[in-house]
Amino acid sequence: MKTVVVAGAVGVIGRGVLAHYEDKNVNLVAVSRRTPDFTSRAKHFPVDLLDRDSCEALLSQVPDATHLVLAAYQWRCDAQPVCRDQVGIDWPGKVMDSGARRGASR
């Protein structure tokens, strides 16, 4: 079974993605700093994507992730989204590489 991880699950886009997958036959994982204030069947993990240790801990708890939706965004004065260069970790790449080792396609 596919496992969809939604990073930034409490934001506007993340909520929409969770709603889309709510009735699909997938394992659903919500990732955000804040606890969701809405109902979802997704298993929630409190993770700060700017904290490398927090991200690494998540990877160990969701080893079967097959899909990653990166809907996380952090406002900055220059309006740049959070990305690998800011975070300092290639979290999406690690999730996808982990799936590829198990035979999932990119």
Side-chain angles (χ1 to χ4, degrees), residues 27-96:
N27 294 321
L28 195 53
V29 176
V31 176
S32 63
R33 287 178 293 176
R34 295 175 288 140
T35 302
D37 58 353
F38 54 92
T39 304
S40 173
R41 70 177 179 84
K43 181 171 183 178
H44 179 257
F45 289 95
V47 173
D48 181 352
L49 295 177
L50 296 176
D51 180 338
R52 177 183 287 270
D53 293 335
S54 182
C55 292
E56 293 289 346
L58 172 66
L59 287 173
S60 68
Q61 296 180 60
V62 189
D64 59 342
T66 57
H67 294 72
L68 171 65
V69 178
L70 188 55
Y73 180 87
Q74 179 169 343
W75 178 258
R76 294 177 13 151
C77 293
D78 58 2
Q80 293 295 316
V82 172
C83 66
R84 177 176 49 193
D85 296 333
Q86 294 166 342
V87 175
I89 184 170
D90 185 11
W91 191 74
K94 287 188 176 194
V95 170
M96 297 312 293

Side-chain angles (χ1 to χ4, degrees), residues 4-19:
V4 178
V5 177
V6 181
V10 176
V12 174
I13 295 171
R15 288 173 192 242
V17 172
L18 287 177

